[in-house]
Amino acid sequence: MKRTNYQLIDFLDFDPAFKGDEFLWKCGEPLAVREEQGDAVIEIPFQRQKAQNDLEPDTDCPVQMAKLRIRAYGDKILRVAFGFENAELPGSEILHFHTDVQQKTLKVIEDTDCWKIQTADGQLKASINRKAFQLDYWSDLLPAASKGLELVLYPDAEKEIRISAYDQFFPARHDAFALAYVEKEGETRCTTLSFHCEADECFAGTGERFTKMDLAGQTFQLKNQDGQGVNNRRTYKNVPFLLSSRKYGVFMHTSAYSKFSIADHSSRSVQLMSEEPVLDLFFLGGDTPEEILYNYRCLTGFPTKLPLWSFGTWMSRMTYFSEEEVNEICRRLRAEDFPCDVIHLDTGWFRTDWLCEWKFNPERFPDPKRFIKNLREDGYKVSLWQMPYIAREAEQCEEALQNKYMCILEQSEKQGGSNFSALDYAGTIDFTYPKAVEWYKGLLKELLDMGVLCIKTDFGEDIHMQAKYHGMEPEKLNNLYGLLYQKAAYEVTKEITGDGIVWARAGWAGCQRYPLHWGGDSACSWDGLAGSLKGGLHIGLSGFGFWSHDVPGFHSVPDFMNSVVPDDLYVRWTQFGVFSSHLRYHGTSKREPYEYPAIAGIVRKWLKLRYAILPYLVEQSDKTTQTGYPVLRALIFHHANDKMCWHIDDQYYFGDDMMVAPVMNSANKRDVYLPEGEWVNLFSGGQLTGGKWLKNFDCPLDEMPVWVKAGAKITVYPEPVSNTDEMDFARTEKLVFDQTYSGLGNSILANLLKVQK
């Protein structure tokens, strides 16, 4: 549909000719407020509007009454729910309340000019203006304005979030609606709520967004789909959560297709829309982004602790095809002194490439248990690829169809997304059906019992839509599917191995409980590197704690499978991986560092640095499981009051103390912003005072712009290892960044990090 720049059509998806049987129902001034089971319930009238762009009440249609329920949790969480008749607000797989999330009783204070809603201890949580308009009447050229919903929310009893009662040109032409719903053919098609934003307000979050840091001025459709890269609007991980520079957050509890218009359709409003008849919103207060994200995790769950080996190097490509090939790669990595912990087998370990049957090819992997055991003895853990779609040629297809373990197709539908095979998928495993979940867990259990330690839960952002599922309609399941899928794999992995871990691509609110996730199919290019980092920053601002990416990008350019990866890109992306929560080489062609002889020595140095800083990374990871911090953090986590940091999407904090600025060009230069504070260059030891830009900072290929907070004490492992099995954390030391620090080459890690040609 061509854009019209009118809100009804472009945001609420009305037919531009208004020929459909659909109508807008717009809220009016609240008529009553009352206390009900600890909540405040507001009675609001809705008047149907005529089917046209300029609003005009359809007075032939009776007014409809609806409830807006407000509930307080603790001191900084306010829940606003519309369209629910019962006091018991809905739960779902998305919500995972922390024990600290306790309802607080609300009281209503009514007077002539204002209704106030506050807690028993006097915290103001909401107010409704009842004053009449102040007018200086001189013209009846236009109809008089009618009172709307003048509601102000105070999630932390301080910051105001004002519902957008009058975002309009004249009374008939609105650019946003405070609260409204759309009726189509007698059913509610969608609901919308808008709140005021300031002219200079910045926003971040909404999932793994491959765009600039400040999201103001954009509209996003929250519909998971195969991103097919990291440089477009499509994304694998949408999260209906938004963080504001005014230090509040908004979480929309839903799995329905939704939209966020962030100072876009109207520069005065943030508009939320969900394709369902209800709205369930949480407004979150806090003094810092971390505190707001902590409150969000208190609602949807915290990332869980990951095993030490997962922080080592993962080696993969698409794909390894035999035991002999894997053994030779693992042998060479050890012989040439590239530390590595995980060998990942992608699409080729089955009898036919991409034909996922959860069984090793008996000719190419004749004794998988022995194969895995031998690798384990050499310090390698095995990760396996699979997918949630069952091909018609798969051994399990008939069983799954007969037992309804996968969806029942209502009509022939070819699975979309980046399917690089010629296979036709008969259906999607139905994780809304408990028996299907147990069946799927049984398939994975056989592999985990062999010694496999991690399952790559690939795909999941697309499902068969022309199909029936046991638990919900596909339109509601699509976004939620990744969570159900990853939960099943995570639970059985933890049950068998003791470690809860998956390697996942799709995502929605709550998926952070089942780490870890990676950024999908990025291009092997500087653009792919930049897009990946943007995605990592936004997903970290959306509740996820552990996130990775394919080094040095997934697919080649311009030949998808065969273009050569440039040496400098390989090195620079390796550096980014070293300073990410997890480091995995993967892609459509050779990824092993010895295949790049001109820069193999530099890569070896960087992998050794990775293992040297693992103790620090483990400390930061533990913090991630208990706070609102991710491992890879946008600068605003630590400099929320620095307006510059709300616009920087190519630098980040790695934990508490390290600030990283990846080089993303072949010129070996970049501009670097040093926020306020005292900083020490990791490589040179040079010390600088922040609050300024370093223009055209020159950085040779074997180094990286990394600054450490002055005075920081970084826990390191000063001895060479080939894998984490060889590490004894009782032998760690502190690398102190004070006046005595004179550079990495003169530190306790000097001998460990010498470049070997």
Side-chain angles (χ1 to χ4, degrees):
M1 179 185 295
K2 292 183 179 180
R3 199 167 73 172
T4 67
N5 296 324
Y6 290 108
Q7 199 265 5
L8 278 176
I9 299 167
D10 292 349
F11 187 67
L12 294 182
D13 299 321
F14 272 81
D15 177 358
F18 293 95
K19 292 181 179 178
D21 181 19
E22 56 186 350
F23 301 93
L24 178 77
W25 287 80
K26 177 177 170 289
C27 74
E29 183 181 20
L31 300 182
V33 62
R34 66 177 186 276
E35 300 167 11
E36 182 178 292
Q37 298 185 25
D39 299 336
V41 176
I42 306 169
E43 298 282 351
I44 302 175
F46 284 77
Q47 177 66 63
R48 195 169 88 170
Q49 308 296 305
K50 292 182 178 179
Q52 57 193 41
N53 212 8
D54 283 348
L55 300 185
E56 182 181 348
D58 184 353
T59 55
D60 292 334
C61 188
V63 168
Q64 298 291 321
M65 296 300 299
K67 298 176 183 177
L68 188 71
R69 182 177 295 273
I70 299 178
R71 177 173 295 176
Y73 296 101
D75 292 333
K76 297 192 176 182
I77 300 176
L78 200 61
R79 190 174 191 176
V80 178
F82 169 72
F84 300 99
E85 292 301 319
N86 300 318
E88 188 60 38
L89 293 176
S92 72
E93 286 283 355
I94 297 170
L95 296 179
H96 197 264
F97 279 11
H98 190 278
T99 53
D100 289 347
V101 178
Q102 299 292 329
Q103 182 180 354
K104 293 188 76 171
T105 298
L106 292 175
K107 301 293 183 182
V108 174
I109 301 173
E110 298 184 63
D111 61 30
T112 304
D113 292 336
C114 182
W115 294 340
K116 293 182 179 180
I117 299 168
Q118 62 185 42
T119 59
D121 56 3
Q123 275 195 339
L124 181 64
K125 290 298 182 181
S127 65
I128 302 168
N129 182 27
R130 300 287 296 166
K131 288 183 181 179
F133 293 134
Q134 287 188 331
L135 300 174
D136 183 9
Y137 183 81
W138 71 278
S139 173
D140 59 2
L141 178 65
L142 292 174
S146 58
K147 286 275 288 182
L149 176 62
E150 296 186 46
L151 172 65
V152 183
L153 305 173
Y154 306 87
D156 57 7
E158 296 177 359
K159 286 181 280 292
E160 292 186 355
I161 301 175
R162 291 187 285 123
I163 302 304
S164 295
Y166 307 113
D167 192 338
Q168 63 190 56
F169 174 56
F170 57 91
R173 177 62 56 79
H174 284 243
D175 290 321
F177 296 101
L179 184 61
Y181 61 91
V182 177
E183 174 192 350
K184 184 172 184 177
E185 298 175 354
E187 300 290 335
T188 301
R189 173 171 65 77
C190 69
T191 49
T192 182
L193 179 141
S194 304
F195 55 90
H196 178 76
C197 64
E198 300 295 337
D200 63 346
E201 194 168 352
C202 299
F203 298 90
T206 76
E208 190 181 43
R209 200 63 60 192
F210 308 122
T211 191
K212 299 292 185 179
M213 176 57 61
D214 178 17
L215 301 179
Q218 300 189 68
T219 295
F220 299 105
Q221 175 178 277
L222 276 63
K223 178 184 183 298
N224 282 359
Q225 61 188 121
D226 192 329
Q228 298 178 333
V230 297
N231 298 101
N232 58 71
R233 290 183 179 182
R234 299 180 297 272
T235 183
Y236 315 91
K237 306 174 192 67
N238 287 278
V239 179
F241 172 82
L242 192 63
L243 178 73
S244 166
S245 61
R246 286 206 297 120
K247 297 179 184 176
Y248 66 86
V250 182
F251 166 51
M252 184 160 67
H253 172 219
T254 185
S255 66
Y257 297 148
S258 305
K259 285 184 184 178
F260 279 14
S261 180
I262 308 167
D264 182 17
H265 284 283
S266 167
S267 63
R268 294 176 290 207
S269 296
V270 173
Q271 303 179 46
L272 313 178
M273 185 269 278
S274 180
E275 294 184 8
E276 56 185 344
V278 296
L279 280 176
D280 190 13
L281 304 172
F282 292 83
F283 292 86
L284 313 175
D287 295 327
T288 64
E290 184 275 327
E291 185 181 0
I292 296 165
L293 266 296
Y294 175 83
N295 288 331
Y296 169 74
R297 286 180 177 171
C298 282
L299 299 174
T300 60
F302 286 76
T304 52
K305 190 176 178 67
L306 290 167
L308 173 63
W309 58 260
S310 75
F311 298 106
T313 308
W314 298 50
M315 191 59 61
S316 172
R317 70 167 86 149
M318 196 183 83
T319 176
Y320 302 138
F321 284 104
S322 70
E323 176 179 347
E324 289 76 13
E325 182 183 19
V326 172
N327 286 340
E328 175 58 18
I329 287 166
C330 291
R331 185 197 66 78
R332 282 200 66 177
L333 290 171
R334 290 284 185 261
E336 300 188 29
D337 197 24
F338 296 103
C340 183
D341 266 81
V342 184
I343 190 77
H344 171 73
L345 279 64
D346 217 59
T347 63
W349 59 281
F350 312 110
R351 62 183 171 98
T352 300
D353 191 16
W354 281 88
L355 181 58
C356 177
E357 296 178 301
W358 297 276
K359 291 185 177 181
F360 281 90
N361 182 302
E363 296 179 359
R364 292 184 278 113
F365 297 91
D367 189 345
K369 189 171 184 178
R370 173 190 51 78
F371 163 67
I372 295 168
K373 178 176 179 292
N374 290 343
L375 288 174
R376 185 69 176 270
E377 290 174 351
D378 195 21
Y380 288 104
K381 291 78 180 172
V382 173
S383 165
L384 294 179
W385 177 92
Q386 48 85 80
M387 57 161 45
Y389 316 125
I390 300 178
R392 298 186 191 281
E393 299 92 332
E395 174 186 315
Q396 296 89 354
C397 186
E398 189 60 32
E399 177 190 10
L401 283 171
Q402 287 184 358
N403 292 282
K404 299 182 180 179
Y405 295 150
M406 64 181 181
C407 65
I408 306 301
L409 296 183
E410 295 181 330
Q411 63 187 62
S412 180
E413 177 192 1
K414 188 172 180 61
Q415 176 62 27
S418 52
N419 174 14
F420 304 122
S421 74
L423 296 172
D424 180 17
Y425 293 99
T428 302
I429 297 176
D430 186 357
F431 288 104
T432 70
Y433 185 34
K435 290 184 178 180
V437 173
E438 292 308 308
W439 174 76
Y440 171 75
K441 286 182 175 181
L443 297 173
L444 299 190
K445 185 177 184 299
E446 291 186 26
L447 300 169
L448 297 165
D449 282 339
M450 291 179 186
V452 172
L453 289 187
C454 182
I455 300 297
K456 179 178 173 180
T457 48
D458 203 358
F459 295 89
E461 59 282 319
D462 288 311
I463 63 173
H464 287 86
M465 299 300 296
Q466 305 300 319
K468 289 184 178 180
Y469 297 83
H470 283 79
M472 62 183 68
E473 295 300 312
E475 290 78 13
K476 291 290 292 289
L477 178 60
N478 190 169
N479 288 332
L480 187 64
Y481 187 83
L483 187 148
L484 303 180
Y485 169 33
Q486 291 153 29
K487 178 184 179 185
Y490 176 97
E491 287 179 343
V492 69
T493 302
K494 186 170 181 61
E495 175 191 341
I496 302 302
T497 71
D499 292 324
I501 185 172
V502 293
W503 188 277
R505 190 170 80 173
W508 190 253
C511 280
Q512 72 272 4
R513 303 195 300 264
Y514 311 112
L516 63 117
H517 295 76
W518 101 101
D521 296 342
S522 52
C524 300
S525 67
W526 299 116
D527 297 323
L529 176 52
S532 293
L533 177 52
K534 288 179 174 70
L537 294 177
H538 279 295
I539 200 69
L541 288 160
S542 304
F544 285 62
F546 300 104
W547 173 89
S548 188
H549 43 90
D550 289 342
V551 179
F554 173 71
H555 69 91
S556 302
V557 178
D559 188 299
F560 191 88
M561 302 293 293
N562 304 304
S563 289
V564 175
V565 178
D567 283 352
D568 59 347
L569 178 69
Y570 188 100
V571 171
R572 292 303 191 189
W573 210 313
T574 290
Q575 294 168 349
F576 175 34
V578 165
F579 288 100
S580 298
S581 84
H582 288 77
L583 168 63
R584 185 183 76 154
Y585 290 88
H586 183 64
T588 57
S589 58
K590 296 174 182 177
R591 291 295 183 265
E592 300 75 30
Y594 53 74
E595 299 287 359
Y596 299 80
I599 44 92
I602 296 176
V603 174
R604 182 181 297 108
K605 164 191 164 181
W606 277 91
L607 295 185
K608 288 180 176 291
L609 177 59
R610 170 71 175 190
Y611 279 73
I613 62 173
L614 283 189
Y616 169 77
L617 176 53
V618 169
E619 291 171 357
Q620 300 305 312
S621 298
D622 287 345
K623 177 171 287 191
T624 293
T625 65
Q626 302 167 40
T627 65
Y629 285 126
V631 173
L632 190 151
R633 305 174 191 168
L635 299 187
I636 57 176
F637 271 103
H638 297 280
H639 307 280
N641 295 324
D642 185 338
K643 287 191 174 183
M644 184 66 70
C645 291
W646 280 90
H647 300 277
I648 293 178
D649 54 33
D650 59 357
Q651 295 178 214
Y652 61 94
Y653 269 83
F654 183 63
D656 289 337
D657 299 312
M658 294 183 170
M659 203 223 11
V660 182
V663 176
M664 296 184 282
N665 58 62
S666 294
N668 294 327
K669 294 182 179 180
R670 62 157 293 160
D671 294 343
V672 178
Y673 181 68
L674 286 184
E676 285 188 1
E678 299 299 317
W679 298 94
V680 181
N681 185 288
L682 175 65
F683 287 90
S684 71
Q687 301 197 18
L688 291 172
T689 299
K692 63 186 176 185
W693 281 96
L694 306 179
K695 295 290 187 178
N696 285 318
F697 183 82
D698 194 6
C699 189
L701 186 61
D702 65 337
E703 294 185 9
M704 183 186 195
V706 179
W707 274 265
V708 183
K709 288 181 179 178
K713 298 178 180 179
I714 304 295
T715 310
V716 297
Y717 200 82
E719 301 174 6
V721 295
S722 65
N723 64 87
T724 56
D725 289 348
E726 299 174 0
M727 300 181 81
D728 176 4
F729 274 35
R731 302 172 69 88
T732 61
E733 296 187 33
K734 295 289 185 181
L735 194 57
V736 181
F737 290 83
D738 58 14
Q739 296 297 326
T740 66
Y741 182 78
S742 58
L744 201 58
N746 299 315
S747 73
I748 55 177
L749 303 180
N751 290 330
L752 185 66
L753 303 178
K754 284 182 179 178
V755 176
Q756 302 173 34
K757 303 297 183 183

